[in-house]
Amino acid sequence: MALGAVVAWLGCCRRGGELSDSADAVAPGRVPAQAIGRWGNRFNQELYGRRSVTRVDTPCGTVRGHTGGLPGYSSEIYTDATGTRSVAVFTITNFGIKERKAATANKALVDAATC
């Protein structure tokens, strides 16, 4: 955004136009661009909020967080109900934690860090 504003300002200076005219021309496209970006966030697991939160039961209660990953690694971030304890777990893996031993160790780490 900032770089785009600088480029628009430089373009206006070179052509002798007003920056406000350029801003008026660009403004209508800002809303659809933001909507398309948020839709993309939903598919690549970068969307945050109540609907995208993962719940995990631990011995001391339910924790909430977000998960994501790419081929080769997995990431999880959890916070307890009070917001005082949290954990970020990064795992090198192939398309998720499929081995029972690895999944058990991952769960034990989340339990220990959030309880």
Side-chain angles (χ1 to χ4, degrees):
M1 289 290 298
L3 183 58
V6 169
V7 170
W9 177 74
L10 289 173
C12 288
C13 287
R14 286 187 124 178
R15 295 178 188 242
E18 292 288 326
L19 183 59
S20 60
D21 294 337
S22 295
D24 288 342
V26 172
R30 179 84 171 97
V31 173
Q34 187 70 25
I36 291 168
R38 293 296 287 170
W39 188 254
N41 290 144
R42 185 156 202 57
F43 288 107
N44 63 12
Q45 298 177 357
E46 294 175 355
L47 182 65
Y48 296 106
R50 297 275 299 158
R51 300 177 104 189
S52 64
V53 172
T54 301
R55 293 180 183 184
V56 175
D57 292 323
T58 65
C60 59
T62 301
V63 295
R64 298 174 187 269
H66 299 278
T67 62
L70 294 170
Y73 83 94
S74 159
S75 64
E76 306 162 65
I77 301 171
Y78 298 107
T79 303
D80 68 352
T82 63
T84 56
R85 297 185 64 96
S86 25
V87 61
V89 180
F90 299 97
T91 309
I92 296 172
T93 180
N94 288 327
F95 303 106
I97 301 172
K98 295 182 180 178
E99 293 181 24
R100 183 175 296 273
K101 185 176 179 181
T104 303
N106 187 42
K107 176 82 167 85
L109 179 60
V110 172
D111 289 351
T114 55
C115 289

